[in-house]
């Protein structure tokens, strides 16, 4: 009968858990083209928001790296910590610029709580 190495099993579980988390804000900001079309979930602090007629846009930061997010939902509040789920678009065109963004999936957001900011625009 073989003995199982508990540290080996824990290492494998930790490696699989980290791999399942997907790319970080750092990886997206540095190598966005690698993740084009992939669904991701990232966490960060909102450092900038912009509401235009045809675009709701905000920036989240984690550490010293940031990532751009485009949404059809309401914009978050500055300095809030948020979790964004969406698809990476490495060639998002707006006017004459091309940037890497996460196109937020707003269908996944379902909350039983009443959020006051949602009712005020």
């Amino acid at each position: 009968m073989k003995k199982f190495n508990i540290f080996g099993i824990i290492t494998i579980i930790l490696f699989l858990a980290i791999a399942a988390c997907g790319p970080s804000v750092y990886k997206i900001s540095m190598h966005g083209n690698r993740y084009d079309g992939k669904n991701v979930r990232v966490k960060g602090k909102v450092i900038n928001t912009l509401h235009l007629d045809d675009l709701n846009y905000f920036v989240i930061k984690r550490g010293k790296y940031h990532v751009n997010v485009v949404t059809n939902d309401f914009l978050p509040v500055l300095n809030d910590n948020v979790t964004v789920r969406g698809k990476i678009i490495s060639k998002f065109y707006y006017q004459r610029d091309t940037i890497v963004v996460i196109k937020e999936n707003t269908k996944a957001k379902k909350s039983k709580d009443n959020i006051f900011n949602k009712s005020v625009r």
Side-chain angles (χ1 to χ4, degrees):
M1 184 176 226
K2 292 184 178 181
K3 289 185 177 180
F4 290 102
N5 183 349
I6 191 72
F7 295 111
I9 293 171
I10 291 173
T11 304
I12 291 171
I13 291 171
L14 286 174
F15 176 76
L16 292 174
I18 291 170
C21 291
S24 63
V25 171
Y26 163 75
K27 289 180 181 177
I28 294 169
S29 66
M30 299 303 288
H31 310 288
N33 294 337
R34 292 184 189 170
Y35 303 102
D36 189 34
K38 298 200 181 206
N39 289 315
V40 295
R41 186 183 85 181
V42 294
K43 294 181 181 181
K45 183 178 183 178
V46 178
I47 60 169
N48 195 4
T49 62
L50 177 66
H51 173 70
L52 301 172
D53 290 337
D54 57 345
L55 181 71
N56 279 343
Y57 170 90
F58 62 98
V59 180
I60 59 172
K61 181 178 181 180
R62 182 98 183 214
K64 59 182 178 178
Y65 300 96
H66 66 277
V67 67
N68 308 301
V69 181
V70 175
T71 185
N72 292 330
D73 205 359
F74 293 97
L75 290 171
V77 179
L78 283 176
N79 297 319
D80 265 359
N81 290 312
V82 297
T83 301
V84 175
R85 292 175 182 86
K87 184 181 281 191
I88 294 182
I89 302 172
S90 66
K91 292 183 174 111
F92 183 79
Y93 299 105
Y94 187 73
Q95 295 180 350
R96 287 180 241 154
D97 292 328
T98 304
I99 56 176
V100 175
V101 300
I102 297 175
K103 174 74 170 113
E104 187 177 27
N105 180 4
T106 55
K107 291 183 222 172
K109 287 184 172 182
K110 290 186 179 177
S111 176
K112 294 180 182 178
D113 300 332
N114 248 346
I115 300 173
F116 178 76
N117 288 342
K118 295 271 182 180
S119 63
V120 179
R121 183 152 188 162

Tab-separated table of all heavy atoms in Angstrom, residues 7-54:
chain	number	residue	atom	x	y	z
A	7	PHE	N	1.587	16.867	1.747
A	7	PHE	CA	2.049	18.145	1.206
A	7	PHE	C	1.931	18.188	-0.313
A	7	PHE	O	1.628	19.220	-0.888
A	7	PHE	CB	3.493	18.427	1.652
A	7	PHE	CG	3.614	18.608	3.133
A	7	PHE	CD1	4.263	17.670	3.901
A	7	PHE	CD2	3.056	19.709	3.750
A	7	PHE	CE1	4.359	17.828	5.273
A	7	PHE	CE2	3.150	19.883	5.119
A	7	PHE	CZ	3.801	18.934	5.889
A	8	GLY	N	2.139	17.078	-0.959
A	8	GLY	CA	1.973	16.998	-2.411
A	8	GLY	C	0.524	17.199	-2.817
A	8	GLY	O	0.225	17.898	-3.788
A	9	ILE	N	-0.378	16.597	-2.069
A	9	ILE	CA	-1.812	16.743	-2.358
A	9	ILE	C	-2.254	18.183	-2.144
A	9	ILE	O	-2.980	18.758	-2.963
A	9	ILE	CB	-2.637	15.773	-1.482
A	9	ILE	CG1	-2.336	14.329	-1.906
A	9	ILE	CG2	-4.122	16.073	-1.605
A	9	ILE	CD1	-2.922	13.286	-0.991
A	10	ILE	N	-1.795	18.810	-1.052
A	10	ILE	CA	-2.148	20.205	-0.779
A	10	ILE	C	-1.587	21.122	-1.869
A	10	ILE	O	-2.262	22.041	-2.324
A	10	ILE	CB	-1.650	20.628	0.619
A	10	ILE	CG1	-2.460	19.899	1.690
A	10	ILE	CG2	-1.739	22.138	0.805
A	10	ILE	CD1	-1.960	20.101	3.103
A	11	THR	N	-0.373	20.851	-2.305
A	11	THR	CA	0.229	21.652	-3.374
A	11	THR	C	-0.579	21.553	-4.656
A	11	THR	O	-0.835	22.567	-5.319
A	11	THR	CB	1.682	21.199	-3.628
A	11	THR	OG1	2.409	21.278	-2.410
A	11	THR	CG2	2.343	22.060	-4.684
A	12	ILE	N	-1.004	20.364	-5.011
A	12	ILE	CA	-1.805	20.175	-6.228
A	12	ILE	C	-3.144	20.898	-6.103
A	12	ILE	O	-3.581	21.571	-7.039
A	12	ILE	CB	-2.009	18.677	-6.513
A	12	ILE	CG1	-0.675	18.058	-6.927
A	12	ILE	CG2	-3.056	18.459	-7.593
A	12	ILE	CD1	-0.696	16.552	-7.018
A	13	ILE	N	-3.776	20.808	-4.942
A	13	ILE	CA	-5.067	21.483	-4.740
A	13	ILE	C	-4.902	22.998	-4.829
A	13	ILE	O	-5.707	23.678	-5.471
A	13	ILE	CB	-5.692	21.063	-3.389
A	13	ILE	CG1	-6.125	19.602	-3.454
A	13	ILE	CG2	-6.868	21.966	-3.029
A	13	ILE	CD1	-6.562	19.015	-2.134
A	14	LEU	N	-3.852	23.537	-4.208
A	14	LEU	CA	-3.615	24.983	-4.278
A	14	LEU	C	-3.326	25.424	-5.710
A	14	LEU	O	-3.815	26.459	-6.157
A	14	LEU	CB	-2.457	25.383	-3.369
A	14	LEU	CG	-2.750	25.387	-1.883
A	14	LEU	CD1	-1.482	25.660	-1.087
A	14	LEU	CD2	-3.813	26.413	-1.549
A	15	PHE	N	-2.547	24.653	-6.441
A	15	PHE	CA	-2.239	24.993	-7.827
A	15	PHE	C	-3.509	25.014	-8.675
A	15	PHE	O	-3.724	25.934	-9.465
A	15	PHE	CB	-1.236	23.987	-8.412
A	15	PHE	CG	-0.952	24.211	-9.859
A	15	PHE	CD1	-0.134	25.252	-10.264
A	15	PHE	CD2	-1.513	23.397	-10.829
A	15	PHE	CE1	0.133	25.478	-11.598
A	15	PHE	CE2	-1.260	23.608	-12.164
A	15	PHE	CZ	-0.430	24.647	-12.547
A	16	LEU	N	-4.372	24.014	-8.502
A	16	LEU	CA	-5.626	23.971	-9.266
A	16	LEU	C	-6.557	25.111	-8.878
A	16	LEU	O	-7.238	25.683	-9.733
A	16	LEU	CB	-6.315	22.623	-9.069
A	16	LEU	CG	-5.598	21.424	-9.684
A	16	LEU	CD1	-6.299	20.128	-9.297
A	16	LEU	CD2	-5.502	21.564	-11.191
A	17	ALA	N	-6.579	25.471	-7.600
A	17	ALA	CA	-7.431	26.585	-7.153
A	17	ALA	C	-6.954	27.900	-7.742
A	17	ALA	O	-7.756	28.728	-8.192
A	17	ALA	CB	-7.449	26.659	-5.630
A	18	ILE	N	-5.654	28.107	-7.769
A	18	ILE	CA	-5.111	29.343	-8.342
A	18	ILE	C	-5.358	29.385	-9.846
A	18	ILE	O	-5.734	30.412	-10.399
A	18	ILE	CB	-3.609	29.475	-8.017
A	18	ILE	CG1	-3.431	29.738	-6.522
A	18	ILE	CG2	-2.962	30.582	-8.837
A	18	ILE	CD1	-2.007	29.645	-6.046
A	19	ALA	N	-5.182	28.265	-10.526
A	19	ALA	CA	-5.406	28.218	-11.974
A	19	ALA	C	-6.870	28.445	-12.321
A	19	ALA	O	-7.186	29.037	-13.345
A	19	ALA	CB	-4.930	26.884	-12.533
A	20	ALA	N	-7.776	27.998	-11.461
A	20	ALA	CA	-9.207	28.163	-11.728
A	20	ALA	C	-9.674	29.594	-11.558
A	20	ALA	O	-10.718	29.979	-12.072
A	20	ALA	CB	-10.012	27.243	-10.811
A	21	CYS	N	-8.921	30.403	-10.824
A	21	CYS	CA	-9.309	31.787	-10.575
A	21	CYS	C	-9.223	32.649	-11.833
A	21	CYS	O	-9.843	33.681	-11.915
A	21	CYS	CB	-8.442	32.405	-9.489
A	21	CYS	SG	-8.742	31.695	-7.875
A	22	GLY	N	-8.455	32.239	-12.810
A	22	GLY	CA	-8.332	33.005	-14.038
A	22	GLY	C	-7.267	34.070	-13.918
A	22	GLY	O	-6.547	34.156	-12.927
A	23	PRO	N	-7.163	34.890	-14.939
A	23	PRO	CA	-6.101	35.899	-14.950
A	23	PRO	C	-6.355	37.010	-13.937
A	23	PRO	O	-7.492	37.340	-13.622
A	23	PRO	CB	-6.146	36.442	-16.373
A	23	PRO	CG	-7.515	36.162	-16.848
A	23	PRO	CD	-7.960	34.911	-16.150
A	24	SER	N	-5.284	37.584	-13.460
A	24	SER	CA	-5.364	38.688	-12.513
A	24	SER	C	-5.390	40.014	-13.276
A	24	SER	O	-5.211	40.054	-14.492
A	24	SER	CB	-4.155	38.649	-11.581
A	24	SER	OG	-2.970	38.836	-12.338
A	25	VAL	N	-5.603	41.097	-12.546
A	25	VAL	CA	-5.574	42.429	-13.146
A	25	VAL	C	-4.200	42.674	-13.782
A	25	VAL	O	-4.092	43.226	-14.874
A	25	VAL	CB	-5.909	43.509	-12.101
A	25	VAL	CG1	-5.664	44.905	-12.647
A	25	VAL	CG2	-7.353	43.367	-11.637
A	26	TYR	N	-3.150	42.205	-13.119
A	26	TYR	CA	-1.797	42.347	-13.654
A	26	TYR	C	-1.674	41.666	-15.018
A	26	TYR	O	-1.192	42.263	-15.983
A	26	TYR	CB	-0.777	41.766	-12.680
A	26	TYR	CG	0.568	41.502	-13.305
A	26	TYR	CD1	1.435	42.553	-13.581
A	26	TYR	CD2	0.960	40.211	-13.640
A	26	TYR	CE1	2.667	42.317	-14.169
A	26	TYR	CE2	2.185	39.973	-14.222
A	26	TYR	CZ	3.033	41.024	-14.493
A	26	TYR	OH	4.247	40.797	-15.076
A	27	LYS	N	-2.111	40.409	-15.104
A	27	LYS	CA	-1.981	39.664	-16.365
A	27	LYS	C	-2.812	40.293	-17.481
A	27	LYS	O	-2.381	40.344	-18.623
A	27	LYS	CB	-2.389	38.212	-16.160
A	27	LYS	CG	-1.407	37.423	-15.348
A	27	LYS	CD	-1.871	36.000	-15.193
A	27	LYS	CE	-0.904	35.187	-14.354
A	27	LYS	NZ	-1.388	33.820	-14.148
A	28	ILE	N	-3.993	40.768	-17.157
A	28	ILE	CA	-4.853	41.390	-18.170
A	28	ILE	C	-4.241	42.696	-18.649
A	28	ILE	O	-4.217	42.985	-19.847
A	28	ILE	CB	-6.273	41.605	-17.627
A	28	ILE	CG1	-6.948	40.267	-17.357
A	28	ILE	CG2	-7.104	42.425	-18.614
A	28	ILE	CD1	-8.231	40.368	-16.579
A	29	SER	N	-3.722	43.494	-17.714
A	29	SER	CA	-3.167	44.790	-18.115
A	29	SER	C	-1.874	44.627	-18.914
A	29	SER	O	-1.589	45.429	-19.801
A	29	SER	CB	-2.938	45.685	-16.898
A	29	SER	OG	-1.939	45.143	-16.069
A	30	MET	N	-1.092	43.600	-18.626
A	30	MET	CA	0.174	43.412	-19.324
A	30	MET	C	0.045	42.578	-20.598
A	30	MET	O	0.776	42.798	-21.563
A	30	MET	CB	1.191	42.740	-18.387
A	30	MET	CG	1.500	43.573	-17.156
A	30	MET	SD	2.115	45.216	-17.519
A	30	MET	CE	3.736	44.845	-18.111
A	31	HIS	N	-0.874	41.605	-20.610
A	31	HIS	CA	-0.984	40.672	-21.734
A	31	HIS	C	-2.448	40.454	-22.119
A	31	HIS	O	-2.900	39.320	-22.227
A	31	HIS	CB	-0.358	39.329	-21.369
A	31	HIS	CG	1.014	39.439	-20.786
A	31	HIS	ND1	2.108	39.768	-21.542
A	31	HIS	CD2	1.459	39.284	-19.507
A	31	HIS	CE1	3.183	39.798	-20.759
A	31	HIS	NE2	2.813	39.518	-19.525
A	32	GLY	N	-3.183	41.529	-22.347
A	32	GLY	CA	-4.608	41.436	-22.652
A	32	GLY	C	-4.921	40.638	-23.899
A	32	GLY	O	-5.948	39.966	-23.982
A	33	ASN	N	-4.033	40.669	-24.891
A	33	ASN	CA	-4.280	39.941	-26.145
A	33	ASN	C	-4.348	38.435	-25.929
A	33	ASN	O	-5.051	37.741	-26.654
A	33	ASN	CB	-3.182	40.255	-27.164
A	33	ASN	CG	-3.210	41.698	-27.598
A	33	ASN	OD1	-4.238	42.356	-27.501
A	33	ASN	ND2	-2.079	42.200	-28.062
A	34	ARG	N	-3.640	37.930	-24.946
A	34	ARG	CA	-3.640	36.485	-24.670
A	34	ARG	C	-4.999	35.988	-24.194
A	34	ARG	O	-5.317	34.816	-24.343
A	34	ARG	CB	-2.618	36.145	-23.603
A	34	ARG	CG	-1.201	36.318	-24.031
A	34	ARG	CD	-0.277	35.865	-22.922
A	34	ARG	NE	1.090	36.224	-23.227
A	34	ARG	CZ	2.079	36.122	-22.371
A	34	ARG	NH1	1.857	35.679	-21.152
A	34	ARG	NH2	3.299	36.463	-22.719
A	35	TYR	N	-5.764	36.863	-23.586
A	35	TYR	CA	-7.032	36.463	-22.972
A	35	TYR	C	-8.249	36.921	-23.774
A	35	TYR	O	-9.368	36.857	-23.285
A	35	TYR	CB	-7.104	37.010	-21.545
A	35	TYR	CG	-5.954	36.552	-20.696
A	35	TYR	CD1	-4.888	37.395	-20.418
A	35	TYR	CD2	-5.919	35.260	-20.200
A	35	TYR	CE1	-3.821	36.964	-19.650
A	35	TYR	CE2	-4.853	34.815	-19.438
A	35	TYR	CZ	-3.808	35.673	-19.167
A	35	TYR	OH	-2.754	35.240	-18.410
A	36	ASP	N	-8.039	37.362	-24.995
A	36	ASP	CA	-9.132	37.871	-25.828
A	36	ASP	C	-10.248	36.834	-25.956
A	36	ASP	O	-10.014	35.681	-26.299
A	36	ASP	CB	-8.612	38.255	-27.209
A	36	ASP	CG	-9.656	38.977	-28.037
A	36	ASP	OD1	-10.457	39.718	-27.448
A	36	ASP	OD2	-9.673	38.787	-29.265
A	37	GLY	N	-11.472	37.250	-25.651
A	37	GLY	CA	-12.637	36.380	-25.773
A	37	GLY	C	-12.888	35.481	-24.581
A	37	GLY	O	-13.881	34.766	-24.553
A	38	LYS	N	-12.023	35.509	-23.586
A	38	LYS	CA	-12.190	34.633	-22.419
A	38	LYS	C	-13.015	35.326	-21.345
A	38	LYS	O	-12.928	36.532	-21.153
A	38	LYS	CB	-10.838	34.243	-21.850
A	38	LYS	CG	-10.024	33.476	-22.850
A	38	LYS	CD	-8.948	32.706	-22.193
A	38	LYS	CE	-8.195	32.021	-23.324
A	38	LYS	NZ	-7.538	30.869	-23.012
A	39	ASN	N	-13.825	34.542	-20.652
A	39	ASN	CA	-14.589	35.054	-19.520
A	39	ASN	C	-13.697	35.073	-18.289
A	39	ASN	O	-12.966	34.108	-18.032
A	39	ASN	CB	-15.813	34.185	-19.256
A	39	ASN	CG	-16.846	34.360	-20.334
A	39	ASN	OD1	-17.137	35.474	-20.740
A	39	ASN	ND2	-17.399	33.268	-20.826
A	40	VAL	N	-13.751	36.178	-17.557
A	40	VAL	CA	-12.899	36.352	-16.384
A	40	VAL	C	-13.697	36.917	-15.223
A	40	VAL	O	-14.798	37.428	-15.394
A	40	VAL	CB	-11.712	37.298	-16.682
A	40	VAL	CG1	-10.787	36.706	-17.711
A	40	VAL	CG2	-12.190	38.667	-17.103
A	41	ARG	N	-13.086	36.816	-14.048
A	41	ARG	CA	-13.617	37.460	-12.848
A	41	ARG	C	-12.440	38.098	-12.144
A	41	ARG	O	-11.479	37.404	-11.790
A	41	ARG	CB	-14.289	36.451	-11.940
A	41	ARG	CG	-14.972	37.111	-10.752
A	41	ARG	CD	-15.546	36.107	-9.847
A	41	ARG	NE	-14.457	35.706	-8.949
A	41	ARG	CZ	-14.583	34.804	-8.013
A	41	ARG	NH1	-15.703	34.161	-7.855
A	41	ARG	NH2	-13.575	34.518	-7.232
A	42	VAL	N	-12.495	39.408	-11.950
A	42	VAL	CA	-11.411	40.123	-11.279
A	42	VAL	C	-11.984	41.031	-10.198
A	42	VAL	O	-13.127	41.473	-10.276
A	42	VAL	CB	-10.557	40.960	-12.260
A	42	VAL	CG1	-9.801	40.068	-13.219
A	42	VAL	CG2	-11.391	41.957	-13.022
A	43	LYS	N	-11.157	41.296	-9.201
A	43	LYS	CA	-11.533	42.184	-8.111
A	43	LYS	C	-10.591	43.373	-8.113
A	43	LYS	O	-9.428	43.250	-8.474
A	43	LYS	CB	-11.418	41.471	-6.764
A	43	LYS	CG	-12.387	40.344	-6.587
A	43	LYS	CD	-12.212	39.714	-5.240
A	43	LYS	CE	-13.190	38.558	-5.076
A	43	LYS	NZ	-13.063	37.941	-3.758
A	44	GLY	N	-11.118	44.516	-7.698
A	44	GLY	CA	-10.280	45.697	-7.607
A	44	GLY	C	-11.037	46.883	-7.049
A	44	GLY	O	-12.234	46.812	-6.768
A	45	LYS	N	-10.313	47.979	-6.899
A	45	LYS	CA	-10.871	49.224	-6.375
A	45	LYS	C	-11.168	50.156	-7.543
A	45	LYS	O	-10.338	50.325	-8.439
A	45	LYS	CB	-9.857	49.869	-5.441
A	45	LYS	CG	-10.313	51.123	-4.776
A	45	LYS	CD	-9.235	51.623	-3.837
A	45	LYS	CE	-9.691	52.853	-3.105
A	45	LYS	NZ	-8.662	53.318	-2.169
A	46	VAL	N	-12.346	50.762	-7.552
A	46	VAL	CA	-12.744	51.680	-8.620
A	46	VAL	C	-11.963	52.979	-8.468
A	46	VAL	O	-12.043	53.635	-7.426
A	46	VAL	CB	-14.266	51.956	-8.589
A	46	VAL	CG1	-14.656	52.934	-9.670
A	46	VAL	CG2	-15.048	50.669	-8.718
A	47	ILE	N	-11.200	53.343	-9.507
A	47	ILE	CA	-10.407	54.573	-9.430
A	47	ILE	C	-10.883	55.651	-10.395
A	47	ILE	O	-10.453	56.798	-10.292
A	47	ILE	CB	-8.908	54.291	-9.667
A	47	ILE	CG1	-8.662	53.683	-11.047
A	47	ILE	CG2	-8.343	53.426	-8.564
A	47	ILE	CD1	-7.200	53.618	-11.443
A	48	ASN	N	-11.770	55.293	-11.328
A	48	ASN	CA	-12.250	56.283	-12.290
A	48	ASN	C	-13.552	55.785	-12.904
A	48	ASN	O	-13.712	54.594	-13.143
A	48	ASN	CB	-11.205	56.482	-13.391
A	48	ASN	CG	-11.458	57.718	-14.211
A	48	ASN	OD1	-12.367	58.484	-13.928
A	48	ASN	ND2	-10.664	57.903	-15.250
A	49	THR	N	-14.473	56.701	-13.164
A	49	THR	CA	-15.716	56.363	-13.859
A	49	THR	C	-15.981	57.411	-14.928
A	49	THR	O	-15.565	58.562	-14.806
A	49	THR	CB	-16.925	56.325	-12.894
A	49	THR	OG1	-17.121	57.609	-12.318
A	49	THR	CG2	-16.740	55.285	-11.810
A	50	LEU	N	-16.685	56.986	-15.967
A	50	LEU	CA	-17.027	57.891	-17.051
A	50	LEU	C	-18.356	57.463	-17.647
A	50	LEU	O	-18.525	56.309	-18.045
A	50	LEU	CB	-15.942	57.863	-18.143
A	50	LEU	CG	-16.196	58.706	-19.379
A	50	LEU	CD1	-16.186	60.190	-19.029
A	50	LEU	CD2	-15.150	58.410	-20.436
A	51	HIS	N	-19.316	58.381	-17.682
A	51	HIS	CA	-20.620	58.115	-18.283
A	51	HIS	C	-20.778	58.997	-19.507
A	51	HIS	O	-20.775	60.224	-19.396
A	51	HIS	CB	-21.747	58.387	-17.289
A	51	HIS	CG	-23.099	58.303	-17.903
A	51	HIS	ND1	-23.650	57.119	-18.309
A	51	HIS	CD2	-24.002	59.263	-18.203
A	51	HIS	CE1	-24.849	57.357	-18.829
A	51	HIS	NE2	-25.079	58.654	-18.776
A	52	LEU	N	-20.880	58.373	-20.668
A	52	LEU	CA	-21.152	59.084	-21.908
A	52	LEU	C	-22.502	58.610	-22.432
A	52	LEU	O	-23.077	57.657	-21.907
A	52	LEU	CB	-20.056	58.806	-22.939
A	52	LEU	CG	-18.630	59.194	-22.521
A	52	LEU	CD1	-17.631	58.685	-23.536
A	52	LEU	CD2	-18.522	60.698	-22.374
A	53	ASP	N	-23.000	59.247	-23.468
A	53	ASP	CA	-24.299	58.840	-24.016
A	53	ASP	C	-24.305	57.388	-24.471
A	53	ASP	O	-25.276	56.673	-24.281
A	53	ASP	CB	-24.685	59.737	-25.193
A	53	ASP	CG	-25.036	61.132	-24.741
A	53	ASP	OD1	-25.406	61.300	-23.561
A	53	ASP	OD2	-24.948	62.062	-25.564
A	54	ASP	N	-23.208	56.951	-25.071
A	54	ASP	CA	-23.178	55.604	-25.638
A	54	ASP	C	-22.226	54.651	-24.913
A	54	ASP	O	-21.966	53.556	-25.384
A	54	ASP	CB	-22.790	55.669	-27.115
A	54	ASP	CG	-21.450	56.347	-27.337
A	54	ASP	OD1	-20.966	57.003	-26.401
A	54	ASP	OD2	-20.902	56.220	-28.433
